[in-house]
Amino acid sequence: MQRTPGARPPHIRPFGPVGRRLAAALAVPVLLFTAACGSDGSDDSQGSSDTATEVTGKVGEKPKVSVPEDAEAPDKAAVRTVTEGKGDKMAKGDFVRMDVFAQMTADDQELINTWKTEEDASAKEGAHTQLVIQLGEEQQMVPASVLNALVGERTGGRLLVEGTAKAIIGERLNPQAGIEESAGMVWVVDPVSAAKTDAKAEVSGEQADTGEGMPEVKPVKQKAAAITIPEGEKAPKELKQQVLIEGDGPEVKAGEGLIAQYTGVKWEDGEKFDSSWDHGGAIAFQIGTGSVVQGWDQGLVGKKVGDRVLLVIPPDLAYGNNPQSELAKNTLVFVVDIVGKV
């Protein structure tokens, strides 16, 4: 469940003012996770980068980017493999967890820097906020031209993508963002891990009865689960959770990307407000780093791939601190199938 107001989980934080400027440049709202498929209108044609741009630093650490003052930004997105990866080869449709750094070349102003979140409290546990993105899916924080450069490459490496704002962002460049089409941009991407998951995947096994005072859950194959709120029961004031089906996969750790199916309803009226099944199936999001609401971080870290988890989340662990959200006063009930991790 996303931290910002809205219905769909999950949503990565916009990384402060620079992230908000990036969202403005991409002409995409920051508030909602975009589930639509297809091209974002950018020019997918790419070339090899032979510019004098230098990228130094170790993979996995914030890069240092140096662009000569007289360098002209390529008019097509130009790609260079800075460091060859040795992990899985990435393909369209894969979920990829990645670190991303981008800046304007004229003034070195950062557009996005996931490494900045290492200063968060979550970094004490060895994890910081990263992006988890499905290659080939339209989304809001990284342009398609940059994501397309990952296809065919291996995780564990580092890629450089550079060009004009028009070349990188394409038709989605917002003229009101104050970024000229000819302005140069440099993007550095460190793909950490990748995973393939069937969009229609769901967990299997004998489901346990829900505990006393907990909502009843009736799974519906490849559709949103039917969740019934117990009549006459008051909403709990603390997080409640129950593993309904116990999986035998690996444990999900803080900082990893969790791939899931989910259905969510409001305790107050039992109405469904969202489900992954209504948006094409499995989604992925980083867990345990504050990227999603506390109820998801607290309830899903430590669970296993193959688990079906029932969560009852009070407002203070959901949208209670976001008064603009239509769900701010609601206790939220989720059934989550953990179908993979990345």
Side-chain angles (χ1 to χ4, degrees):
M1 153 148 309
Q2 59 189 18
R3 288 188 63 184
T4 49
R8 288 208 74 201
H11 178 67
I12 298 296
R13 290 173 294 175
F15 302 105
V18 293
R20 287 191 288 272
R21 188 189 183 202
L22 172 61
L26 290 171
V28 183
V30 178
L31 299 184
L32 297 179
F33 178 90
T34 303
C37 301
S39 170
D40 66 356
S42 62
D43 183 355
D44 290 338
S45 60
Q46 296 178 335
S48 176
S49 173
D50 58 0
T51 67
T53 299
E54 291 187 3
V55 180
T56 56
K58 295 180 180 180
V59 173
E61 298 178 359
K62 178 187 173 183
K64 182 178 180 181
V65 178
S66 300
V67 182
E69 292 184 3
D70 58 350
E72 292 187 7
D75 58 7
K76 289 186 177 180
V79 181
R80 185 168 85 230
T81 301
V82 178
T83 303
E84 292 278 358
K86 297 181 180 180
D88 297 327
K89 183 176 286 188
M90 294 171 283
K92 187 175 179 180
D94 287 357
F95 290 106
V96 180
R97 178 162 54 91
M98 65 186 77
D99 275 301
V100 181
F101 175 85
Q103 70 178 38
M104 304 301 297
T105 58
D107 57 8
D108 295 339
Q109 182 174 3
E110 292 183 2
L111 295 173
I112 184 171
N113 176 6
T114 57
W115 283 277
K116 221 167 205 179
T117 61
E118 290 179 335
E119 299 173 0
D120 289 352
S122 58
K124 296 178 182 179
E125 301 177 0
H128 67 277
T129 304
Q130 297 169 319
L131 299 180
V132 181
I133 294 174
Q134 187 172 23
L135 299 185
E137 293 292 309
E138 183 181 350
Q139 52 78 53
Q140 61 188 17
M141 293 303 290
V142 183
S145 61
V146 178
L147 295 179
N148 289 343
L150 297 177
V151 175
E153 297 287 339
R154 293 187 180 277
T155 59
R158 170 167 284 176
L159 273 77
L160 165 71
V161 183
E162 56 185 329
T164 63
K166 180 67 173 179
I168 299 292
I169 298 178
E171 297 301 322
R172 287 177 68 192
L173 180 62
N174 185 355
Q176 299 179 353
I179 297 177
E180 296 182 0
E181 292 185 355
S182 60
M185 285 184 172
V186 176
W187 291 72
V188 179
V189 182
D190 286 11
V192 178
S193 60
K196 304 178 188 297
T197 301
D198 185 349
K200 302 301 182 182
E202 54 190 338
V203 305
S204 60
E206 184 176 352
Q207 180 174 297
D209 294 333
T210 56
E212 183 178 355
M214 293 285 277
E216 180 184 355
V217 177
K218 291 185 177 180
V220 182
K221 188 172 180 61
Q222 296 194 345
K223 290 184 179 180
I227 303 173
T228 303
I229 306 301
E231 187 174 353
E233 287 282 343
K234 293 184 178 180
K237 297 186 181 301
E238 298 180 352
L239 175 68
K240 300 291 184 181
Q241 55 181 297
Q242 181 181 350
V243 177
L244 300 179
I245 295 178
E246 196 165 335
D248 57 5
E251 180 181 321
V252 177
K253 299 177 181 179
E256 293 182 323
L258 187 151
I259 307 172
Q261 306 281 9
Y262 71 91
T263 298
V265 305
K266 294 177 286 183
W267 180 285
E268 288 72 16
D269 57 16
E271 289 188 7
K272 182 186 73 172
F273 60 86
D274 202 18
S275 174
S276 60
W277 295 107
D278 298 337
H279 302 282
I283 64 166
F285 49 94
Q286 196 184 28
I287 196 74
T289 59
S291 300
V292 290
V293 295
Q294 294 180 59
W296 279 65
D297 275 346
Q298 293 180 20
L300 297 178
V301 169
K303 299 300 189 292
K304 295 178 294 185
V305 174
D307 283 355
R308 173 171 291 158
V309 185
L310 173 62
L311 298 174
V312 182
I313 307 176
D316 63 322
L317 297 180
Y319 287 140
N321 61 347
N322 291 315
Q324 294 179 345
S325 172
E326 61 186 20
L327 302 174
K329 296 181 180 180
N330 292 113
T331 295
L332 305 181
V333 180
F334 283 97
V335 176
V336 182
D337 279 12
I338 303 175
V339 298
K341 71 172 186 174
V342 58

